[in-house]
Amino acid sequence: MGAGGNMSTPTTKAEEKKNSLERVPISKPPFTIGDIKKAIPPHCFERSLIRSSSYLVQDLILVYVFYYIASTYIPVLPTPYQYLAWPLYWIFQGSFSTGLWVIAHECGHQSFSDYQWLNDTVGFVLHSALLTPYFSWKYSHRRHHANTNSLENDENHVPKLKTKLRWYTKLYINNPVGRLFILMFTLTAGLPLYYAINVAGKPYERFASHYDPYSPIYNDRERLQIIISDVGLIAASYVLYRVAMAQGLTWLICIYGVPVVIVNSFIVLITLLHHTHLSLPHYDSSEWSWIRGALATVDRDYGGAD
C-alpha cells in the first residue's frame, strides 16, 4: 500500500536517480478504501490472541535471556572484553525491546486481540516499562493516522515549508557535520522531546505535551487516561529509582538505559523512513484526502525482518 510498493525497480543509476525524484500521482485514486479492503484476504482482519501472545512471550524470553547474560557474565569478563560485550548486549537488547514496544503500539491499534481491556492493559504495561506514555501516544498516534501527510493537521513527520525555514537552517543542512549532529540528536533525544514538549510535532496555539492531560492534543474524554499514562510512568520511574539505589546508577544505565535509547532510536528511524522519501507528497488542505495521505508512504526492506 505504500508508494514504495508501486515504484518499479530501476535498472540503471540514471533511472534510479530519475525515479527517486519522481513524485507519486496526486490525482484522485481510481478506487476507494472499500475497494482496498475487498482486495485484502479476510484472514488479514482476524485478530489472534494466541499468535499475539506467542510473539509477546517470545520477546519477553529473549529480553530476559540477554538481561541474565549481561547481569551475570559481562561484569566478570576481563575489562577489554567488556568493551566489546556491552555494545553487543545493547544492540541485541535494544532490538528485542523494540519488538515489545511495537507490540504495545499494536495494542493501541487494538490489533493484539478482540478484547480492548486486554489490549490496553498489555500496551499500558509494556509502554510504561519502556517509559512511553501509552494512552497519550495512542491518541496522538490515532490523530496521525487520521491526518497522514496533511501539512496542516498531521501530528508528526511533517516537512517544513521552504518559506518558513529559519535563516540558520542552511548552516547545518548544507554541512555534513551539521547533518550528522542533527541525525544523531533526532535518533537519541527526538522521541523523548516529542513526548515532553512536542518537538517536531504539529504546531499548536499553546504548549503541547504528551504528559499534560490538558494539552491541546487531547479532548475532554481522553484526559483521565492521560493521567493514567503519567501514573504508569511515575510507577516505572520509582522502580528504576529503587533499582539504581540497590544496584547503582551505572548498572542501571548499562542494563536498562542504553537499550531504551536504542529502542527510541529504532522507533524514530522506522517511522521517519516510512514517511520520508523524495517522491512522497505532502498535501495542503486543497489537495489532502484521507486515502491520498494514507497511500503516500514508502515500504522499506529492513533485510530479513518480517
Side-chain angles (χ1 to χ4, degrees):
M1 296 241 328
N6 297 324
M7 296 163 59
S8 59
T9 303
T11 56
T12 66
K13 290 185 177 180
E15 290 181 14
E16 183 177 2
K17 183 176 180 180
K18 178 181 178 182
N19 289 346
S20 67
L21 296 173
E22 187 175 332
R23 199 171 188 250
V24 299
I26 62 171
S27 58
K28 184 178 179 180
F31 46 80
T32 66
I33 185 63
D35 296 327
I36 295 175
K37 288 183 176 180
K38 290 177 182 178
I40 299 173
H43 72 268
C44 294
F45 295 99
E46 297 175 359
R47 304 177 183 93
S48 172
L49 177 58
I50 294 176
R51 176 176 293 180
S52 299
S53 298
S54 70
Y55 294 145
L56 174 59
V57 171
Q58 171 185 282
D59 284 346
L60 287 173
I61 290 174
L62 289 169
V63 166
Y64 176 77
V65 167
F66 278 95
Y67 156 76
Y68 179 80
I69 292 173
S71 61
T72 304
Y73 297 108
I74 293 181
V76 299
L77 289 174
T79 300
Y81 293 105
Q82 290 189 28
Y83 293 136
L84 175 63
W86 279 119
L88 288 174
Y89 163 74
W90 294 333
I91 292 171
F92 281 103
Q93 189 69 296
S95 299
F96 293 124
S97 296
T98 299
L100 293 176
W101 195 101
V102 172
I103 289 174
H105 161 270
E106 294 306 312
C107 288
H109 281 291
Q110 304 304 313
S111 302
F112 187 82
S113 75
D114 291 323
Y115 310 102
Q116 182 174 346
W117 68 268
L118 180 59
N119 297 336
D120 285 340
T121 300
V122 172
F124 174 72
V125 172
L126 292 179
H127 264 177
S128 296
L130 294 169
L131 299 183
T132 293
Y134 172 72
F135 291 106
S136 307
W137 166 268
K138 171 183 173 180
Y139 291 126
S140 68
H141 191 58
R142 176 186 295 175
R143 288 176 174 82
H144 158 66
H145 278 290
N147 300 280
T148 304
N149 287 336
S150 166
L151 287 171
E152 291 93 353
N153 297 312
D154 200 351
E155 284 292 333
N156 44 48
H157 299 300
V158 180
K160 293 183 179 180
L161 297 176
K162 189 175 182 179
T163 55
K164 294 185 177 181
L165 292 177
R166 303 281 187 175
W167 64 268
Y168 53 78
T169 302
K170 62 181 180 180
L171 298 179
Y172 63 82
I173 288 295
N174 298 325
N175 184 330
V177 176
R179 290 202 301 269
L180 179 62
F181 172 79
I182 293 299
L183 176 62
M184 297 305 298
F185 180 81
T186 300
L187 291 177
T188 55
L191 194 57
L193 288 176
Y194 170 64
Y195 295 151
I197 57 175
N198 199 39
V199 165
K202 173 185 174 181
Y204 288 93
E205 294 182 356
R206 59 185 178 87
F207 177 74
S209 171
H210 281 70
Y211 305 129
D212 179 8
Y214 292 96
S215 170
I217 302 173
Y218 310 111
N219 60 43
D220 291 339
R221 292 178 299 173
E222 298 163 346
R223 303 200 194 286
L224 176 60
Q225 290 176 295
I226 309 309
I227 295 174
I228 294 174
S229 294
D230 292 344
V231 171
L233 295 180
I234 292 171
S237 299
Y238 178 74
V239 171
L240 293 174
Y241 165 76
R242 298 296 298 180
V243 171
M245 294 299 292
Q247 300 288 347
L249 181 60
T250 301
W251 186 93
L252 181 64
I253 292 173
C254 290
I255 292 293
Y256 174 85
V258 178
V260 167
V261 171
I262 292 177
V263 169
N264 292 340
S265 299
F266 272 131
I267 300 308
V268 171
L269 181 63
I270 291 168
T271 55
L272 183 65
L273 290 175
H274 186 56
H275 293 284
T276 305
H277 193 278
L278 291 173
S279 68
L280 291 184
H282 285 74
Y283 303 97
D284 63 19
S285 57
S286 66
E287 289 184 309
W288 184 87
S289 69
W290 184 87
I291 193 167
R292 283 179 177 175
L295 291 175
T297 56
V298 58
D299 300 322
R300 306 279 185 171
D301 183 357
Y302 292 99
D306 294 331

